[in-house]
Amino acid sequence: MIVLIALIALLFAPNSLSQLFDLTIKEVYDVVVPIFLTGTVGIAIIVSVILGRILERLGFTDGLIRLFVPIMKWMLINPTVIIPSIYNILGDINAAGKIAAPVLVKANATKDEQKIAVATMIQSPQSFATFVLGLLALTAAGINLFPIIILSIFVPLIVVPFILSKTIYRNTRKVDLHELPRFTPKTKPLETLFQSAKEGTELLLLVIIPAVAAVFFVIGILKFIGVWAFINSVLTVTLTYLSIDPASGIVSILAAPTLAVAQLAEYASTIPPGLVVGSFVIANSGLPLSVIFGQMPLTWRECSSLKEKDVIEAALVGLVIRFATAWFLGFVVTPFLVV
């Protein structure tokens, strides 16, 4: 069937294939080359990974874990549910799953508690680069950074497990951990520096750029067949209603939140502050959708007792909460935070 369709297309519209090819190349090139390869965003990603690994080496992750674990115990939830979210702040969402999911299993976390861990992890930035570049956008919009950081990054780590443990995922129990795992690496300072630079480069070249290229390739195809304009208009109306800048919001959802906040920083001073805050919140999450439907289910299926559909379900619950958070902070809270 595919061969027949291709032959018919070549017979009646011989230029269609070349036009499609040219359009998709331009769509991918306009994002990948000037922004990631020759622009500052690519370097910012590498530098942010270096900074994140240095903070991790100094004990930042372990400090946060020991701060939040007692709160989970007070809420009668297995304290290990918070570990993936904390690790995700400085690490990345794939490493958080691979490293933290076995910890939950070892601590006998129930399936509901593992789902809480997944949903809560969606509230944290999937890349430290996204967080750092997002701060630039907030600064450009004249927004007080400290309340937004606390309300969008740290408060959800407490509120989301509490709400889910009382509503959807109620099979939770208090567990006393006699020994918390340590996440501060013992690498030497120079080794940490160079390894993190290598990790940042690999993240850029092997994860972010391929994902961006794949998504914008599909967008190019949708433009070619004439349906992207309709899809884009629907997303624009929906995101604006949720207090999210449509341009950066679409990029966060479909391609790369890191790219979204990098672009947002360039024009943040020209749009309403509420849209900037909402965009910052939604970018600092488990998005894009390729992570939620692809990378996370694969990682957690291998490292936990959850099935792929369980992971996707919990991730979507977390994403709904994240969109609600973006609307609340962007529409309700932001007017009180503009400098």
Side-chain angles (χ1 to χ4, degrees):
M1 179 62 71
I2 295 177
V3 174
L4 180 61
I5 293 174
L7 290 175
I8 294 174
L10 287 174
L11 179 63
F12 294 100
N15 295 328
S16 59
L17 184 59
S18 62
Q19 292 172 354
L20 173 62
F21 192 65
D22 289 340
L23 180 60
T24 52
I25 287 178
K26 185 179 184 301
E27 198 71 31
V28 174
Y29 177 91
D30 288 345
V31 176
V32 171
V33 175
I35 295 176
F36 286 99
L37 292 181
T38 61
T40 58
V41 175
I43 301 301
I45 291 172
I46 297 173
V47 171
S48 67
V49 172
I50 295 173
L51 177 60
R53 288 295 174 261
I54 290 175
L55 290 174
E56 183 182 60
R57 177 64 178 79
L58 294 174
F60 186 82
T61 300
D62 275 326
L64 283 178
I65 288 175
R66 280 152 180 77
L67 177 65
F68 281 91
V69 159
I71 299 176
M72 295 299 106
K73 293 173 65 176
W74 176 74
M75 292 192 297
L76 304 181
I77 302 174
N78 190 319
T80 56
V81 302
I82 203 66
I83 291 177
S85 303
I86 296 296
Y87 188 86
N88 195 31
I89 293 176
L90 293 184
D92 66 81
I93 203 162
N94 294 316
K98 291 179 181 178
I99 293 174
V103 176
L104 273 80
V105 175
K106 187 177 180 180
N108 297 318
T110 66
K111 280 194 173 183
D112 276 7
E113 288 172 333
Q114 293 178 55
K115 290 178 181 180
I116 290 175
V118 171
T120 306
M121 190 169 65
I122 297 298
Q123 316 308 312
S124 299
Q126 50 82 32
S127 168
F128 190 61
T130 306
F131 174 74
V132 175
L133 294 172
L135 296 183
L136 297 179
L138 293 176
T139 301
I143 297 167
N144 193 342
L145 296 180
F146 183 76
I148 292 298
I149 293 173
I150 297 299
L151 293 174
S152 65
I153 303 298
F154 295 108
V155 170
L157 301 185
I158 301 172
V159 174
V160 172
F162 178 78
I163 292 176
L164 293 180
S165 67
K166 303 300 181 184
T167 54
I168 305 176
Y169 306 127
R170 292 184 289 181
N171 184 17
T172 62
R173 51 197 172 83
K174 179 181 178 181
V175 175
D176 291 323
L177 298 179
H178 301 290
E179 182 179 357
L180 281 173
R182 294 189 61 84
F183 295 93
T184 301
K186 297 181 180 180
T187 54
K188 297 178 181 179
L190 285 179
E191 185 180 355
T192 299
L193 182 64
F194 287 106
Q195 282 186 353
S196 60
K198 179 182 178 182
E199 181 185 348
T201 304
E202 290 175 346
L203 173 66
L204 174 65
L205 298 179
L206 301 181
V207 178
I208 293 179
I209 288 180
V212 171
V215 169
F216 278 89
F217 170 78
V218 173
I219 290 176
I221 293 177
L222 294 176
K223 284 185 176 181
F224 179 77
I225 61 179
V227 300
W228 174 246
F230 173 75
I231 296 173
N232 186 61
S233 63
V234 172
L235 289 173
T236 297
V237 172
T238 303
L239 292 174
T240 302
Y241 178 78
L242 294 173
S243 192
I244 299 169
D245 169 57
S248 63
I250 291 173
V251 175
S252 290
I253 294 170
L254 299 179
T258 305
L259 170 61
V261 290
Q263 294 176 324
L264 180 65
E266 298 178 359
Y267 59 84
S269 60
T270 64
I271 63 176
L275 294 182
V276 178
V277 171
S279 301
F280 172 83
V281 173
I282 207 62
N284 284 275
S285 67
L287 290 169
L289 293 177
S290 60
V291 171
I292 292 175
F293 287 99
Q295 298 174 28
M296 282 184 62
L298 179 61
T299 299
W300 281 78
R301 183 195 65 188
E302 296 175 349
C303 302
S304 72
S305 58
L306 296 178
K307 298 179 181 179
E308 288 187 358
K309 66 176 183 179
D310 296 327
V311 178
I312 294 174
E313 170 208 295
L316 290 177
V317 169
L319 190 59
V320 169
I321 295 174
R322 198 60 176 164
F323 272 102
T325 304
W327 175 84
F328 178 76
L329 293 181
F331 184 76
V332 178
V333 177
T334 298
F336 302 99
L337 301 178
V338 178
V339 178

